[in-house]
Amino acid sequence: MNDFIAARSQMALSLGFHIVFSCIGMVMPFFMAVAHFLWLRTNDVVYRNITRAWSKGVAIFFATGAVSGTVLSFELGLLWPEFMKHAGPIFGMPFSLEGTAFFIEAIALGFFLYGWDRFNRWFHWITGVVVGVSGLISGILVVAANAWMNSPAGFDYVNGQYLNIDPIAAMFNDAWFSQALHMCVAAFVATGFAVAGIHALMIVRKRNVHFHTQSFKIAAVFACVAAILQPLSGDISAKDVAKRQPAKLAAMEAHYHTEAAAPLILGGIPDDEKQEVKYAVKLPGMLSFMVHSDFNTPVTGLDKVPENDRPPVAITHFAFQIMVGLGMLMLLISLLYFLALWKKKSWLEGKWLMRLFVLATPMGFIAVEAGWTVTEVGRQPWIINGIMRTADAVTPMPGIVYSFYIFTAVYISLSLIVTFLLYRQIKMVGRLYDVSPAV
């Protein structure tokens, strides 16, 4: 492994680790706020206990996410100094605003965790809402910075110089809305199905059933609504990518040849040498329709992209297929759940529906990781799309491969520690949160 691959691998590992905690930090406070609101309105002690239990999980994930996010900030400067030298003054604004949002989130979380029986009940609830809102804003701002890398704006690039810098135009670039929308909805899907799946497992095992049933309902509604909305946000995002990054779309779809009535490819194994996809199911004209709302409009293929400007097709295509496939499975589970709520109440009594949610527990986060793989690998070989190549931005310092090995060990250790803490927290719920009326 050379230093360039090591630098990219370390960044990918750091981002892949951090994105899980970012999603949970953006979404779990809203679950917590809903449970808290229901307690304030009903005085049903089970909702108070759900709020307390979830707040402990939020604290664990917030601490881990804060550390991993800080590491990412340092890595941008240490691993990609040429990138930050030019890009920092242009897209630095969303990062600085994200720091402010994070600061507010940390203060509000402190108020919430230590405000029980000390603040006015509704003010205490508001601090929890502020945690969620500031976390969501923080996530949107970071995605806006990433969107700028896909759709550079807010400067003029003249003879290798970055001139006439406009940070506002850079932050609100052409890609920020579609990426932020898709990421926020994905965060609700991933976190919702993970939380609902854990509570569904406890229901199947008949552990503290009332507590876990009420918890499951809150998480499942968030997850299922988001899963139904996700294909709509995905369509917006895909149309945007087709317009701004045709090479990325071609890699996502393994679309080698520019043609009218372009087929939508399901599955398959791309063969770069023969410029074809083996063992795929092809739906004639569907890619043209999805991109241009017309079955016959040509879609740009990789044959129109210079060979040294093409993204890695296999990785991008497989990641895209995984993301879409898991999204469709979660959409199906969501439709079944809402059908059960609406017409088939008896399904809620059976274990098969709960087991579906248990199976779906990791699906959302696997889809998120696959989606970020599409975003980052599909932009290659550019770190700033069409402006700066990733190879030109990497640090000249040697020994990055050892840094990658060290960080890999650290992240594996952190993952084991967080998993242990969450496992202990889930086991303690049954003992600490007795939901009998005597509490």
Side-chain angles (χ1 to χ4, degrees):
M1 182 186 294
N2 60 37
D3 285 334
F4 175 59
I5 297 299
R8 286 189 61 192
S9 299
Q10 183 173 324
M11 201 72 193
L13 176 69
S14 300
L15 178 61
F17 183 84
H18 177 68
I19 195 65
V20 173
F21 301 100
S22 295
C23 288
I24 296 169
M26 290 164 64
V27 173
M28 272 298 290
F30 289 104
F31 296 2
M32 186 177 73
V34 168
H36 197 177
F37 178 80
L38 291 172
W39 175 53
L40 295 176
R41 288 296 301 270
T42 66
N43 284 320
D44 187 340
V45 71
V46 71
Y47 293 118
R48 183 201 66 181
N49 294 338
I50 292 169
T51 306
R52 283 183 176 273
W54 280 349
S55 68
K56 289 179 172 61
V58 168
I60 292 170
F61 285 114
F62 178 84
T64 312
V67 173
S68 59
T70 303
V71 169
L72 269 172
S73 299
F74 281 112
E75 284 179 338
L76 277 173
L78 294 173
L79 296 178
W80 313 102
E82 192 66 21
F83 167 70
M84 291 304 295
K85 172 185 172 182
H86 299 291
I90 304 171
F91 81 153
M93 179 173 284
F95 275 128
S96 61
L97 292 175
E98 190 273 338
T100 303
F102 175 78
F103 182 64
I104 294 170
E105 183 183 6
I107 293 172
L109 182 60
F111 280 170
F112 186 83
L113 293 175
Y114 297 102
W116 289 96
D117 304 320
R118 292 181 176 89
F119 293 143
N120 172 276
R121 283 156 54 99
W122 286 103
F123 176 77
H124 185 221
W125 174 74
I126 288 171
T127 63
V129 174
V130 170
V131 174
V133 171
S134 55
L136 194 62
I137 292 172
S138 179
I140 290 171
L141 289 166
V142 170
V143 172
N146 178 267
W148 178 84
M149 298 165 69
N150 291 313
S151 179
F155 66 98
D156 294 325
Y157 186 65
V158 182
N159 297 324
Q161 300 294 313
Y162 297 77
L163 307 174
N164 303 321
I165 292 171
D166 183 350
I168 299 296
M171 183 165 67
F172 295 107
N173 57 79
D174 290 342
W176 86 269
F177 176 76
S178 60
Q179 275 198 217
L181 176 65
H182 197 54
M183 184 63 235
C184 288
V185 177
F188 275 93
V189 174
T191 307
F193 270 98
V195 174
I198 290 170
H199 290 292
L201 179 62
M202 295 298 106
I203 294 169
V204 170
R205 292 180 175 179
K206 297 183 179 179
R207 308 271 180 85
N208 205 348
V209 173
H210 182 54
F211 173 92
H212 289 294
T213 299
Q214 300 309 314
S215 303
F216 169 82
K217 287 178 182 177
I218 295 171
V221 168
F222 271 104
C224 293
V225 169
I228 291 170
L229 295 176
Q230 186 70 317
L232 301 177
S233 73
D235 182 63
I236 293 170
S237 186
K239 282 182 167 63
D240 183 64
V241 168
K243 182 170 67 175
R244 292 181 300 93
Q245 296 175 286
K248 178 186 284 188
L249 179 75
M252 288 160 56
E253 296 290 347
H255 183 58
Y256 286 102
H257 305 288
T258 302
E259 58 184 318
L264 180 68
I265 295 175
L266 303 180
I269 301 174
D271 186 334
D272 286 341
E273 193 173 316
K274 294 183 178 179
Q275 303 282 288
E276 64 181 22
V277 185
K278 298 177 180 177
Y279 317 116
V281 176
K282 296 184 179 182
L283 306 179
M286 283 303 298
L287 182 60
S288 291
F289 179 77
M290 293 174 71
V291 171
H292 300 295
S293 300
D294 180 85
F295 285 101
N296 295 310
T297 304
V299 176
T300 302
L302 288 165
D303 57 348
K304 296 293 186 182
V305 181
E307 205 164 320
N308 62 340
D309 290 346
R310 295 178 187 177
V313 178
I315 296 174
T316 309
H317 178 68
F318 290 143
F320 181 67
Q321 295 289 309
I322 289 169
M323 179 186 70
V324 172
L326 291 176
M328 290 299 102
L329 284 174
M330 289 183 286
L331 172 62
L332 176 61
I333 294 171
S334 302
L335 293 174
L336 288 173
Y337 180 65
F338 283 128
L339 181 60
L341 290 177
W342 180 39
K343 288 241 178 185
K344 301 285 186 180
K345 303 277 187 192
S346 60
W347 290 3
L348 300 173
E349 305 298 324
K351 288 186 177 181
W352 68 270
L353 187 58
M354 292 298 105
R355 284 179 175 143
L356 279 180
F357 275 94
V358 173
L359 289 173
T361 301
M363 286 185 187
F365 284 114
I366 295 172
V368 166
E369 299 286 4
W372 272 102
T373 300
V374 172
T375 299
E376 297 304 295
V377 176
R379 189 180 59 247
Q380 299 308 312
W382 307 101
I383 191 168
I384 306 176
N385 189 47
I387 303 289
M388 179 185 288
R389 291 180 180 272
T390 309
D392 296 332
V394 72
T395 178
M397 293 295 292
I400 301 301
V401 65
Y402 301 109
S403 172
F404 169 64
Y405 293 146
I406 292 169
F407 271 80
T408 300
V410 168
Y411 282 130
I412 291 173
S413 301
L414 275 175
S415 299
L416 293 174
I417 292 168
V418 171
T419 302
F420 168 73
L421 290 173
L422 289 175
Y423 176 74
R424 191 178 69 169
Q425 174 65 19
I426 292 167
K427 285 193 69 175
M428 289 173 62
V429 163
R431 296 199 303 269
L432 294 180
Y433 299 113
D434 182 4
V435 294
S436 65
V439 173

